[in-house]
Amino acid sequence: MSLTPLIVTPNPLQGSTQTFTATLSNVGSPANTAVLFAITGANPQFKVVPADVNGQATLSYLGYFAGPDRIIATAQPAGVPLTSNPSLVTWEVGAHATFLSLSDSTKSGTPGQAVGVRASLSDVSASPPVALAAQTVNFALGNNMCSASTNAHGIATCQITPSQAGMQTLTATFAGTSQFVGSSDSVGFNVVAPPTPTPTPTATPTPTPTPSPTPIGGSQITRTNVTCSQFVAGTAASLSRLRYSLEPPANATIKEVNPGAFFYWVTVTASAGSNTFTINQTITSGNFNTLFSIQSGSNVFNSNCTSVHPTITQSGGTVSVTFNAPTAGTYIISIKFDSQSLVGKPAPSPTTTVHYDFRTIGVPGSTSGLDLIKK
């Protein structure tokens, strides 16, 4: 098993993307063999990529931080462990990577009526990530557009007017500068026409039928008593905040967080065979830098809420989910995060709201947010 290039030359700039290719040799039927790329160094993470029919698995990843990385690929075709040669890359200081999120924006409106949209922008090459102020964010909804500059908290807001009813896509784009790499996000936006009044033929009141739950798409954060069926049916209540208490007498560290765990749900479209999805969590506001660890109880389900027995790993703020899909279609990922992983950590300022965003890379509408506040 080989990994190329051996050494990336010249050294790439931080904030750019590099590609590596692992090749399985003398392996029968290599297609869909899971290849694990282990990256250590300045940008530690794990990625799983399925091999193609030629036995090649290609990894592209972004260098958030300057410094050296070492990459090794491993695989187990037919149960035989294989390990590649190491590849080396050294990231030079360059423009910082950014993260743009629409998780807190309005996601519905009425034709012809202006509605406020909102995006948050942060520098994720800083440790911890920091909000980016005075940067221009462009919004687009169909052919309608608006733009705004981010405030001191990295928030940009402006008014946009939907022109026609139907499900559309709201997109936010940060073009980037000489100091910061551009980024974007998109979410589903439902434009609903007002109902046409219907004359009532009689004064006799007509009982209002109980509305049926609307099946949910995109993503959602909930308590851990929520089931896959409830998420799919749209009957699960969202969880928007966690509350923490302080350890006396100094009140400098976190004593307890409630609730003690939560689920991040996301609907994805998978192809038949091996699939890998990457979930990133980031802190977009607040003077705090501790991320949540995952907990046993995470899973992946098919559209009938039957488990497909995934492999789920975590490296820092990145969770990798790999599973074999019997057929192409819709699958539901459920990641259980441990709120108690914050216990014992230095507490943020009591007046600060710490905001976390959870996003599945490459899946529109997958961003959901959560606030951490003092009791």
Side-chain angles (χ1 to χ4, degrees):
M1 183 178 186
S2 62
L3 182 61
T4 57
L6 294 176
I7 300 176
V8 177
T9 55
N11 292 344
L13 292 177
Q14 163 193 15
S16 63
T17 299
Q18 287 298 311
T19 299
F20 298 85
T21 301
T23 302
L24 300 168
S25 301
N26 302 317
V27 173
S29 302
N32 294 321
T33 298
V35 178
L36 172 66
F37 292 87
I39 303 168
T40 56
N43 300 275
Q45 55 191 287
F46 293 93
K47 300 280 188 179
V48 177
V49 180
D52 61 18
V53 293
N54 298 314
Q56 291 189 326
T58 300
L59 164 74
S60 293
Y61 81 99
L62 187 148
Y64 289 97
F65 302 102
D69 280 343
R70 183 173 186 263
I71 304 97
I72 289 181
T74 58
Q76 289 190 335
V80 178
L82 300 176
T83 302
S84 75
N85 56 279
S87 288
L88 304 175
V89 56
T90 300
W91 306 90
E92 299 289 350
V93 174
H96 282 202
T98 62
F99 180 75
L100 186 65
S101 173
L102 285 165
S103 65
D104 290 338
S105 180
T106 300
K107 299 179 180 67
S108 62
T110 302
Q113 296 185 11
V115 62
V117 290
R118 167 189 174 110
S120 62
L121 180 66
S122 54
D123 174 359
V124 291
S125 288
S127 184
V130 295
L132 283 181
Q135 305 297 324
T136 299
V137 176
N138 297 306
F139 298 85
L141 181 65
N143 295 323
N144 304 292
M145 301 178 183
C146 67
S147 62
S149 292
T150 54
N151 62 17
H153 302 290
I155 305 298
T157 59
C158 66
Q159 298 285 313
I160 201 165
T161 304
S163 56
Q164 60 184 16
M167 197 66 189
Q168 301 182 34
T169 299
L170 173 66
T171 301
T173 304
F174 168 57
T177 67
S178 60
Q179 294 178 291
F180 302 106
V181 178
S183 56
S184 63
D185 192 20
S186 60
V187 295
F189 193 99
N190 192 18
V191 183
V192 182
T196 302
T198 301
T200 304
T202 175
T204 304
T206 302
T208 302
T210 301
S212 300
T214 301
I216 193 164
S219 67
Q220 187 181 19
I221 294 175
T222 72
R223 293 178 179 268
T224 54
N225 60 350
V226 169
T227 65
C228 171
S229 297
Q230 291 171 323
F231 169 72
V232 171
T235 59
S238 294
L239 177 68
S240 62
R241 63 182 56 182
L242 303 175
R243 296 183 180 272
Y244 69 91
S245 59
L246 299 176
E247 183 70 49
N251 291 333
T253 58
I254 294 177
K255 177 182 179 182
E256 186 179 25
V257 183
N258 286 308
F262 59 91
F263 279 140
Y264 166 76
W265 300 87
V266 62
T267 301
V268 299
T269 301
S271 57
S274 180
N275 291 266
T276 298
F277 291 90
T278 300
I279 298 166
N280 283 348
Q281 61 168 310
T282 57
I283 298 174
T284 62
S285 65
N287 58 337
F288 195 57
N289 60 5
T290 301
L291 299 175
F292 296 103
S293 300
I294 60 173
Q295 197 179 77
S296 61
S298 300
N299 212 332
V300 178
F301 306 92
N302 63 17
S303 57
N304 295 320
C305 285
T306 301
S307 174
V308 294
H309 309 293
T311 298
I312 300 175
T313 59
Q314 182 177 25
S315 176
T318 300
V319 176
S320 295
V321 180
T322 302
F323 61 93
N324 189 64
T327 58
T330 299
Y331 289 80
I332 299 96
I333 297 175
S334 171
I335 303 299
K336 187 176 183 181
F337 286 99
D338 183 10
S339 307
Q340 300 307 312
S341 53
L342 308 186
V343 171
K345 304 298 182 182
S349 169
T351 60
T352 297
T353 295
V354 179
H355 184 79
Y356 290 82
D357 270 338
F358 299 83
R359 179 187 187 189
T360 303
I361 301 301
V363 179
S366 65
T367 303
S368 285
L370 185 72
D371 289 335
L372 175 69
I373 61 176
K374 184 179 177 297
K375 288 183 179 179

